Amino acid sequence: MAFSLFPKFFKSDETSTENIYTSNKILDYKTFNTLFENHPDLVFTIDPDREIQFFNQTLNGLFNYNENKLRFIINQKLLNIEIVKKHVNRAFAGESQNFQFEYIDTHKRSRNFYVTIVPIFNNENHVNAICGIAKDITNYVQYENEITEIKNKLELAQHTGKIGSWDYNVLSNEIYWSEQLYLLTGRDREDASPVTLEEGLAYIHPEDRERYRTVLYDAMNNSTSYEIEYRILRKDNTLIYVFEHVELLLGENGRPVRLVGNTQDITERKLAEKKLQETKLTTENIYENLSLGIVSIDMITKRTIMVSTGIEEVTGYPKKYFYSPQAMESIVHPEDLHKFTNEMAKITFGKKLNFEFRIIHKNRKEIWIHAKLLPNLNDKGAVVRVDGIYTDITERKQHEEEIRQLAYYDKLTGLPKTELFHEKINSLIKLKNSFSILYLNIHRIKSIKNTLGHEIANEFLIQLTKRLQDTVSQPNFFANLEGNELGIVLWDIKEANSPENIAKKVIDSLNSPFIINGFEIYALVSIGISNYSENGETIEDLLKNADAALHRAKAAGKNNYHIFSSNLNISTYKQYELERDLRKAIKNNQLLLYFQPRVDTNTRRMISAEALIRWEHPTWGIVSPAEFLPIAEEVGLINEIGDWVFQNVCEYLETWKKEGLKLVPISINFIAQRFLRSDCIPMIVNTLKKHKVDTSLIELEITETSIIHHEKEVESILTQLDEIGINVALDDFGTGYSSLAHIKDFTIGTIKLDKSFVQQIAIKPDVEIIIKSIIFMAKGLNMNVVAEGVETLEQYEFLKQQECTEIQGYIFSKPVPEADFLKFLKTPILKPQVNYLADGMQERRAFYRLQLVFPLKADMTITTFKGNSVTLGKTEIAIDNIGPGGLKFYSTIHLPVRHDIIYEFETVIMGKEVKIQGQIVWKDEQLDGVYQYGVSFIINEKDRQDLIKLLNNFSLKLKNNVLVQDTNFAHEDPLSYIKKINQVS
């Protein structure tokens, strides 16, 4: 990636006596070493004599030789490998090259490399040298080889047992075949695309096809597994017999969504059976050659009259053992004995039987047997003889179990997956006995992986699972669910608070750390509990309520549990819905960008802007990043969302340029986590190239904590960004622990003064001194200073006097959508907006309002949500004014303006409980995430007249005393009060 920009890196100063484009010496050792000494990959240059010129320390570290020996090995061995030599020659011919090769070093160790080399041209367009970068992909190649080996072993197991497997997706009507199934049918492996159901049925013998179709559709209609024997007409027109076992996987609606089948070639057995039926011969010379046991019993005398030698291979016991009465019954596995005797009893009714059971082999191993019993009848219909065929199907059963483990069990912990978890819950619902569901969210897994590595994180999960299983003593079912969640089902509950006690025991069990490779790791969990049938009688309700309880537990802090209650408050209910819907936000195009201008302090001209993400939720309206980005970080979507912002900003810049608008640089927030990924710089460069965006139009914002916690990594990335021409700004400066003296060592062009400083201007003189010092020192270091959160003229004038370069804040504009931002691009001179917070509804009121000196404390809940009645808990708010037609209140919850959401408000005025319903008809944002809302009451005329009388009396008393007795007042301004109760909660 970087070498496409290589000429920019080495462009010499215009005053230089030797221009790099005319010199044969593209770069010197010092320049190369400065650029690539700490590069994580192998970087090198090769001169026209096909010899190594420069290489970085990574190459030294990889091979651990001194420089002379390393040069010898590279020139004499590496560069003489045929594939390397071929691509080097092509590069010197002027073509960039990408290739992969394997090198065996002197210690017989194999190393694999992926190499990119590009030619470097002089001014006459001749190649003076080539520069390359090699990535060590040895671990990746080994991993690919291991995967191939596992796949080959599975194919070998199928081939040995003549068992093919297939997987039919009902929804997409596609069937995927295993390698062995291609061999069984004679179908070409090259034609490996999925087939439809009808194409798959075409391989069944025409005489068996309709019977198979009937069995298949009956099984799908009844949602049951099935077994069937039929014939396959191979591609070369030869015929084979197969036995097929098929399992159905059901969707949430109880209908099949997948069918998984094992198809075994039983031609050998079927031919033997057919021979017996056609000739009615029981001579032992036929049976001796079959690797299955055949037994004939005279049902009149109850004596065994013939046993084949194959029975010895199947059971390990000699033939003579099976001439004794109940011989087979004596070796049946104790757990299957009841099933075996029940099936054998049916034979007296003349029915053909097919069933499976286990025996204990003479070598004490557990063997699976398929029994096929064929009754022979006399002319009166009585059973006179039974021929039994016993086949060892252990290998097929093992194969089925392997497939089941892959489909239904987590490979790491061995726990059942979601499908079996739901299956267990449904089975308990059918019994109608009480049980409980516990949802456990394991925190910090991602952090452990990022800091300590996947191996330690995996071992942590294994040990955590075992400790939790050891902690839960009563009957339980553990499952590994999606994400970092575990599910537990508890039944046979003797005490009402048993689930609560189990949750406490689980949390207490995590007080001691896990010791893994010398690291002490503490586990943090949140637990949500729902009980059958108090919290629902269907699996959908129980799971939804357990999930809602889990959200309440997470909101209360780590290592907490919560038992589901229908009284979720509005904030928790909203948080639950946001987390549930976030994964669909990008897919459904619900994310959008707002832009906030950054204004030149002196000219008031917009000279740049910051891009800020918003989520347009279908229910909750515009959701701020403060609400959903922490969720995105927790569920692993933060990098995907960050990339979305960068790509969309570039798309906007490309569009605006085509429309002939005068562009300004756009600032984009980047998190340290994204910087630490190897594809960060390639993503940035490729996106800029795709949309033809000049690097001068992009500024990336990082926080102080990014530098503090990831100093070396961030420093490397900042250097690369500087090299490709992207400016970096330090956001929220002053909130961390760094200093300008420290930051000057990084390639940072702008610092953004945090709004917590700006808001103290004209309030705290000591803060003003700090601001003056920061601006003075920043200018001395040639840094641009942007003041964030400027709201008042006093703040603006102070910053202007201190020669702060740029202003960003509501005094000039809130963040606005793209349509409004285009107006700023067309008319870039902005005027200060002093009264940007206005009620906006005053002139439209049909009734008077009482403006209160001190706000009323009140409780709010939602009674109707999108036309459906709901029961939620209460959320505390502050009422600023009230009248017969409505009220205005303050809250930290960002609520939508929707007429299909009805709220109920409850307070006390002069000893009388006031309870009124209404709709939010407008909203506005105050400072620090506090919102004010206007409410229109939904009230009948009688109740309105009663309210008018109460408010008239209230108004008279307020004239004498701003704090009327027996009224639910908050003794401070509404903003302070609502912030305080939010901090307490």
Side-chain angles (χ1 to χ4, degrees), residues 705-868:
T705 52
S706 301
I707 294 178
I708 294 168
H709 296 303
H710 308 283
E711 186 167 324
K712 291 185 178 179
E713 296 88 344
V714 171
E715 183 178 8
S716 173
I717 293 292
L718 295 183
T719 300
Q720 294 179 63
L721 291 173
D722 183 60
E723 288 169 349
I724 62 178
I726 291 181
N727 186 48
V728 176
L730 189 64
D731 195 16
D732 300 335
F733 181 75
T735 60
Y737 301 98
S738 56
S739 64
L740 283 171
H742 180 214
I743 290 171
K744 70 178 178 61
D745 297 328
F746 296 88
T747 51
I748 292 174
T750 300
I751 61 170
K752 300 190 75 176
L753 193 61
D754 187 66
K755 66 179 182 180
S756 62
F757 283 92
V758 173
Q759 289 170 358
Q760 300 301 318
I761 293 173
I763 298 174
K764 292 186 177 181
D766 55 340
V767 173
E768 292 182 1
I769 293 172
I770 294 173
I771 294 173
K772 290 178 182 178
S773 301
I774 292 174
I775 294 173
F776 178 78
M777 287 190 291
K779 284 185 172 293
L781 295 171
N782 292 320
M783 288 183 177
N784 183 35
V785 181
V786 180
E788 292 186 294
V790 181
E791 314 288 353
T792 67
L793 281 174
E794 290 87 352
Q795 295 166 359
Y796 171 54
E797 290 300 331
F798 173 82
L799 293 165
K800 185 177 179 180
Q801 291 172 10
Q802 303 311 314
E803 298 182 358
C804 178
T805 317
E806 294 180 49
I807 296 295
Q808 181 179 347
Y810 281 18
I811 193 167
F812 285 111
S813 174
K814 295 181 180 181
V816 295
E818 188 246 359
D820 293 334
F821 183 68
L822 292 180
K823 299 173 184 176
F824 295 142
L825 289 177
K826 296 172 183 175
T827 309
I829 303 298
L830 279 68
K831 296 180 180 180
Q833 302 176 36
V834 180
N835 298 317
Y836 63 91
L837 291 175
D839 191 299
M841 289 296 295
Q842 203 87 25
E843 68 283 358
R844 287 184 272 172
R845 291 175 183 157
F847 298 93
Y848 68 88
R849 289 281 182 92
L850 293 179
Q851 184 63 44
L852 304 172
V853 176
F854 292 104
L856 289 173
K857 295 188 288 186
D859 289 326
M860 175 181 69
T861 187
I862 295 176
T863 60
T864 304
F865 192 80
K866 295 191 290 186
N868 299 314

Side-chain angles (χ1 to χ4, degrees), residues 209-413:
R209 197 172 297 153
E210 195 57 38
R211 175 173 61 88
Y212 188 97
R213 187 180 276 111
T214 301
V215 172
L216 170 64
Y217 288 146
D218 285 347
M220 292 180 67
N221 289 332
N222 297 321
S223 299
T224 59
S225 59
Y226 66 92
E227 294 178 344
I228 188 172
E229 293 181 2
Y230 61 93
R231 292 167 291 173
I232 288 179
L233 189 60
R234 290 164 51 84
K235 193 171 183 179
D236 60 3
N237 288 323
T238 58
L239 194 69
I240 64 170
Y241 291 81
V242 294
F243 168 81
E244 197 163 86
H245 177 83
V246 181
E247 289 286 344
L248 278 70
L249 306 182
L250 306 180
E252 293 183 356
N253 60 0
R255 302 297 300 159
V257 293
R258 285 176 56 203
L259 280 70
V260 179
N262 292 303
T263 307
Q264 183 178 22
D265 183 353
I266 59 168
T267 306
E268 194 174 333
R269 174 166 67 80
K270 290 300 293 184
L271 291 175
E273 293 174 12
K274 187 176 179 181
K275 188 72 173 178
L276 284 171
Q277 292 173 354
E278 290 175 349
T279 63
K280 295 185 179 179
L281 297 175
T282 57
T283 52
E284 292 187 6
N285 63 325
I286 296 176
Y287 305 137
E288 299 301 324
N289 298 316
L290 300 176
S291 57
L292 44 83
I294 303 175
V295 177
S296 291
I297 302 172
D298 187 324
M299 296 300 289
I300 306 299
T301 62
K302 303 298 181 185
R303 292 177 58 250
T304 301
I305 55 178
M306 195 279 297
V307 179
S308 73
T309 303
I311 201 75
E312 297 181 353
E313 184 178 342
V314 173
T315 68
Y317 290 88
K319 280 172 54 174
K320 63 181 181 179
Y321 182 81
F322 294 93
Y323 284 98
S324 304
Q326 288 81 43
M328 182 62 74
E329 185 177 320
S330 69
I331 63 172
V332 173
H333 193 289
E335 293 179 6
D336 292 350
L337 186 57
H338 182 69
K339 173 185 177 182
F340 178 82
T341 54
N342 282 348
E343 291 292 331
M344 293 300 291
K346 296 176 185 177
I347 200 67
T348 57
F349 298 102
K351 291 180 63 176
K352 293 181 181 179
L353 297 180
N354 281 285
F355 63 97
E356 297 173 357
F357 62 96
R358 291 167 295 173
I359 66 167
I360 304 300
H361 194 276
K362 192 173 183 181
N363 63 13
R364 309 311 299 166
K365 289 184 179 179
E366 188 179 286
I367 302 295
W368 274 97
I369 301 294
H370 175 264
K372 186 176 183 69
L373 301 177
L374 306 171
N376 290 271
L377 312 179
N378 60 15
D379 54 0
K380 295 181 180 180
V383 179
V384 294
R385 192 180 84 248
V386 172
D387 296 323
I389 303 170
Y390 299 98
T391 309
D392 182 351
I393 59 168
T394 305
E395 191 171 350
R396 173 167 70 82
K397 281 291 187 181
Q398 289 172 344
H399 179 60
E400 289 175 358
E401 182 58 27
E402 289 173 2
I403 293 177
R404 178 177 171 79
Q405 286 289 333
L406 289 173
Y408 294 112
Y409 292 87
D410 178 61
K411 185 177 180 181
L412 181 65
T413 63

Side-chain angles (χ1 to χ4, degrees), residues 90-110:
R90 287 181 180 176
F92 273 105
E95 298 177 11
S96 297
Q97 302 290 306
N98 291 285
F99 62 99
Q100 181 178 331
F101 76 99
E102 181 183 20
Y103 171 67
I104 310 297
D105 64 19
T106 55
H107 300 292
K108 306 299 181 183
R109 291 175 301 193
S110 171

Side-chain angles (χ1 to χ4, degrees), residues 6 44 85 114 123 128 188 235 251 262 333 335 368 380 405 463 539 572 575 580 715 747 845 932-933 943 959 968 971:
F6 196 79
F44 56 87
K85 187 189 297 183
Y114 182 82
N123 201 39
N128 276 5
D188 293 334
K235 193 171 183 179
N262 292 303
H333 193 289
E335 293 179 6
W368 274 97
K380 295 181 180 180
Q405 286 289 333
Q463 292 190 23
I539 186 172
T572 307
Q575 185 79 359
R580 182 196 65 190
E715 183 178 8
T747 51
R845 291 175 183 157
Q932 55 176 327
Y933 298 93
D943 291 338
K959 291 179 180 179
N968 203 11
H971 296 176

